[in-house]
Amino acid sequence: MPRFFIQAKPEAGMLSIEGEDACHIARVLRMKPGDSVTLCDSAGMDYGCVVEEASPELVRCRVLEETVSAGEPDTEVTLYMALPKADKFEFIVQKAVELGVSRVVPFLSARCVSRPDEKSLRRKAGRWRKIAEEAAKQCGRGRVPEVADAVPFREAVAQASQAKTALFFYECERETPLRGAIGGRRLTTVSLMVGPEGGFALEEAGQAQAGGLTSVSLGKRILRCETAPLAALAVVMYESGNL
């Protein structure tokens, strides 16, 4: 069933959609009165609706039922991802949303090859947020995960340290595997910090550990920067009972 996000609660049992989504419903999906659609209030509630009026400018729907969104995990995971080259970040955002991430924060580290200027970052951020929204629709999420503005490395560490479980994925870590760091723990808020193609610099690893993050390993194989965050996220979701 088609799914769309709205920023409103039902009024008199009705919900309205305007803008691009209304145009998509009327012109692309060719929905008409009597067709079913799911609307989500972006706060975890789904509304099963029937279309009563459909035009490219406005779609009006009658609410038939209200349910808690089944697609939202009960563990809040924020992914702090060093900016990779090319369009890898788009892929990471899309798949992280599908796996259940709550928030994605891009950051710049010492070995980032990609260093877009402020104007380029604003343009890219708009694209990333659109990808997050489309992925959330596709996979049945109850809200659209936030894609934050890019921050410097130190700010990313400061933010990540606020989570109850704050993990720093360091390719030189040999003592602590990911499962050893989270196995048997109740995972409520989790931060995952992953580096760029060249990994983290030694001084960055020291700063992260001094900031309260736990250095962990994803195994003996070196994973690509677009593989590592998704592997880590999948393990956390599995261990927390959300996968």
Side-chain angles (χ1 to χ4, degrees):
M1 183 183 299
R3 182 183 187 84
F4 296 89
F5 287 93
I6 53 174
Q7 301 296 324
K9 298 288 185 180
E11 292 187 11
M14 300 294 292
L15 285 168
S16 297
I17 308 169
E18 300 179 74
E20 290 183 7
D21 283 344
C23 186
H24 184 76
I25 289 171
R27 288 184 172 166
V28 179
L29 298 180
R30 298 182 182 276
M31 297 186 74
K32 57 187 183 299
D35 288 342
S36 298
V37 63
T38 298
L39 304 183
C40 181
D41 65 2
S42 302
M45 288 298 296
D46 285 351
Y47 301 95
C49 300
V50 61
V51 175
E52 291 213 337
E53 174 187 339
S55 74
E57 293 75 34
L58 175 68
V59 175
R60 287 177 51 78
C61 303
R62 180 167 298 280
V63 178
L64 301 180
E65 62 176 353
E66 301 180 17
T67 57
V68 175
S69 300
E72 282 304 302
D74 58 11
T75 298
E76 183 178 318
V77 182
T78 300
L79 170 63
Y80 294 85
M81 183 71 215
L83 279 177
K85 295 185 294 185
D87 59 356
K88 294 177 183 178
F89 197 77
E90 295 183 3
F91 174 82
I92 292 167
V93 168
Q94 182 187 65
K95 301 310 174 189
V97 170
E98 291 178 23
L99 285 167
V101 79
S102 298
R103 185 169 180 250
V104 181
V105 182
F107 68 90
L108 290 167
S109 66
R111 294 178 180 171
C112 282
V113 176
S114 175
R115 293 186 175 276
D117 58 28
E118 186 175 342
K119 182 178 179 181
S120 180
L121 270 176
R122 285 198 301 269
R123 184 178 67 252
K124 288 176 180 289
R127 169 70 177 158
W128 298 333
R129 288 163 186 149
K130 186 66 175 178
I131 288 171
E133 180 179 354
E134 292 301 323
K137 289 178 184 177
Q138 180 273 322
C139 70
R141 292 291 299 267
R143 63 188 182 92
V144 180
E146 176 191 0
V147 181
D149 292 332
V151 298
F153 176 79
R154 286 184 178 276
E155 175 61 24
V157 170
Q159 290 186 26
S161 68
Q162 301 304 306
K164 290 185 178 179
T165 304
L167 306 175
F168 180 81
F169 292 89
Y170 187 37
E171 62 276 10
C172 295
E173 175 62 45
R174 295 292 181 266
E175 299 298 324
T176 308
L178 172 57
R179 191 171 186 184
I182 64 174
R185 298 182 62 176
R186 183 171 179 270
L187 300 174
T188 53
T189 60
V190 182
S191 292
L192 309 176
M193 195 165 189
V194 181
E197 288 87 350
F200 287 111
L202 180 61
E203 58 270 24
E204 289 177 328
Q207 291 169 18
Q209 291 176 48
L213 278 68
T214 300
S215 179
V216 295
S217 166
L218 277 170
K220 297 179 180 180
R221 294 171 299 282
I222 300 297
L223 303 182
R224 290 180 179 271
C225 68
E226 65 268 34
T227 305
L230 305 181
L233 183 54
V235 171
V236 169
M237 286 298 168
Y238 178 79
E239 289 292 330
S240 64
N242 288 290
L243 191 64

